[in-house]
Amino acid sequence: MKQTINTTQAERLEACASMLRRHGFEAEVVRDEKEAFERMRDVAEAEMPQLVSFGDSMTMRATGIIEWLRNDPRWTLLDGFDASMPRPERLEIRRKALMSDLFITGINAVTMQGTLHWLDMVGNRIAPVAFGPRKVVLVAGSNKIVGNREEAEERIRRIAAPQNIARHEGFRTPCAKTGVCMDCNSPDRICNTRMEMLRCHPKGRILVLLIDKELGL
C-alpha cells in the first residue's frame, strides 16, 4: 500500500525548498532515507568524483550512503572518523576533505527563510560546506526545519548540542550532566564555530535534501 504523507508537513518542506532555491541552492524534498540515498547515489554517479568525504551526521549515516561509497572502487573515500586511527591522523584526513570533489554532511537547522545553520567543535564539517569541494550534498530531517535564525540558534543550543554531547562518552561539559546549554568554557566544549549560510555561491554547488521524516539531532 502506498505510504501517505502528512500534507501540512509536505507543504512546509516544499515551501522551505522553494526558498532555498531562491537563494541559489538546489533543494529537493524526499520521502525517507531510501529516497535520500537514491538521490545522493545519482549525484555521485553524475559527478564521478575522484575524492569523496563527509562530515559526521546521524541523518546522513541513516541513509547508508557512506557504506555504499566505501564499497565502490570508482572513487576514494576520505574517512576522517575511522576510530582505529589515532586522532592526529583523523584530523589530517579531515583537512584533506577540503579538497574533495564531493562532500556530504547534515545540517543543525534549516529556516523557512531559506538559510542553513550549524555549530561545530573543530569546523571540519562546516569548512568544506563553505569552500573547497566542487559539489556538496546536505541532508536534513523534518525536525530540523525552524522559522527563522533565532529559532535555529535556540534549536542548536537546546537540542542539537546537548544531545550530541550525550551520545559521545568522555566529554566533561555542564550540558553532559544537565542536558541544557550553559555556554560553558570547558576544554571539551563542542560549540566553538558557528556558521550561517545565507546564499549558495556559485549557484547550484550545494544540494539540500529535505527528508519528510524526523531524523538525527
Side-chain angles (χ1 to χ4, degrees):
M1 184 173 64
K2 186 176 181 180
Q3 180 183 358
T4 58
I5 299 176
N6 182 301
T7 303
T8 302
Q9 178 168 285
E11 289 177 349
R12 189 165 183 257
L13 291 173
E14 288 291 355
C16 183
S18 177
M19 286 301 296
L20 288 166
R21 288 191 286 268
R22 285 184 62 184
H23 292 168
F25 298 93
E26 288 186 39
E28 300 176 20
V29 177
V30 295
R31 186 181 299 274
D32 53 23
E33 304 98 315
K34 181 175 182 293
E35 286 193 7
F37 164 78
E38 291 170 351
R39 190 66 188 90
M40 287 188 282
R41 178 196 62 197
D42 292 345
V43 170
E45 292 183 336
E47 295 288 326
M48 287 304 296
Q50 290 185 336
L51 294 178
V52 184
S53 196
F54 61 96
D56 202 22
S57 160
M58 293 176 67
T59 305
M60 175 204 66
R61 288 186 182 278
T63 68
I65 188 64
I66 299 305
E67 290 76 11
W68 180 78
L69 289 168
R70 193 188 313 279
N71 292 323
D72 197 307
R74 291 178 290 178
W75 38 68
T76 298
L77 179 68
L78 300 175
D79 183 354
F81 298 89
D82 185 345
S84 67
M85 293 182 177
R87 181 170 173 77
E89 290 185 25
R90 296 200 303 269
L91 289 175
E92 185 62 23
I93 291 174
R94 294 178 200 181
R95 288 182 63 244
K96 292 177 180 178
L98 287 163
M99 295 301 293
S100 61
D101 302 299
L102 174 63
F103 187 81
I104 301 172
T105 192
I107 316 170
N108 289 137
V110 184
T111 74
M112 293 298 294
Q113 298 169 336
T115 61
L116 310 178
H117 300 259
W118 294 264
L119 192 57
D120 263 14
M121 183 177 187
V122 298
N124 65 281
R125 178 174 57 159
I126 59 178
V129 173
F131 180 75
R134 292 183 174 85
K135 186 69 177 181
V136 174
V137 181
L138 305 173
V139 290
S142 60
N143 50 313
K144 306 294 182 68
I145 310 301
V146 297
N148 52 42
R149 178 183 184 181
E150 290 72 25
E151 290 182 17
E153 293 180 357
E154 188 69 3
R155 183 186 189 283
I156 293 169
R157 201 174 77 88
R158 291 193 172 273
I159 300 174
Q163 291 187 17
N164 193 31
I165 276 285
R167 73 187 184 97
H168 289 95
E169 295 182 2
F171 281 83
R172 295 180 175 86
T173 62
C175 68
K177 295 182 178 180
T178 66
V180 178
C181 175
M182 306 297 290
D183 192 20
C184 72
N185 199 34
S186 167
D188 290 335
R189 177 181 169 121
I190 66 169
C191 302
N192 297 321
T193 305
R194 185 185 301 278
M195 184 168 81
E196 176 184 37
M197 185 163 277
L198 307 177
R199 301 290 188 277
C200 178
H201 182 80
K203 183 177 180 179
R205 171 179 172 262
I206 297 174
L207 168 63
V208 181
L209 297 177
L210 303 178
I211 305 172
D212 190 19
K213 184 175 180 180
E214 292 194 2
L215 290 166
L217 300 180

